[in-house]
Amino acid sequence: MPPLARSLLALAALLAAADARANPFCDFAMIGDVTDRPITFHLTVAGGVTTTIPDKCAMPGSELAGESINVCNTPSSKPRIQLALGSDLNFSPIYIDCPGNIPGCSSLDVRVTQFCKPAGLPPVGLY
């Protein structure tokens, strides 16, 4: 991918993240690289538990390069995304801090965009 196209894609991802953060009842996390091969999907999870996000890039010749996660609990509270601790790039699991006694926390809509790359390629360096 040409450098200009990569820069524009990274800018688009940052603008999308800024829009997602505009809602005071949302949290956003980004880890890894942005590529031109995004896959977006939704999960419904309960707050206050560790959640494993499936790797939708896991197919022959492809691997996960980056991931953005957005979760909202409008209008009750702002859930907080905590990435797993440990190695350099932990895409899963995540913990969403949203106590079960707060309305909406028992059924949160999590929007995930995973960025895929051809297997074996080094990181692109876009964040």
Side-chain angles (χ1 to χ4, degrees):
M1 171 186 281
L4 178 59
R6 270 188 272 164
S7 297
L8 290 174
L9 185 62
L11 178 61
L14 289 173
L15 290 174
D19 286 343
R21 293 192 74 106
N23 185 334
F25 300 105
C26 296
D27 196 19
F28 174 81
M30 176 70 195
I31 187 167
D33 295 327
V34 175
T35 69
D36 63 346
R37 296 172 48 193
I39 297 173
T40 300
F41 57 97
H42 293 261
L43 299 171
T44 302
V45 303
V49 297
T50 301
T51 301
T52 300
I53 298 176
D55 182 355
K56 301 285 186 169
C57 294
M59 59 187 85
S62 184
E63 62 186 26
L64 187 60
E67 183 171 70
S68 70
I69 305 163
N70 188 29
V71 62
C72 300
N73 188 21
T74 307
S76 299
S77 68
K78 178 180 180 175
R80 301 213 185 269
I81 300 169
Q82 298 174 1
L83 300 175
L85 300 175
S87 64
D88 293 335
L89 290 178
N90 281 311
F91 295 107
S92 187
I94 62 167
Y95 178 81
I96 299 175
D97 186 13
C98 190
N101 62 348
I102 293 178
C105 286
S106 61
S107 182
L108 296 167
D109 180 42
V110 180
R111 182 175 187 254
V112 179
T113 300
Q114 292 182 335
F115 299 96
C116 306
K117 69 176 183 175
L121 287 183
V124 183
L126 299 176
Y127 292 94

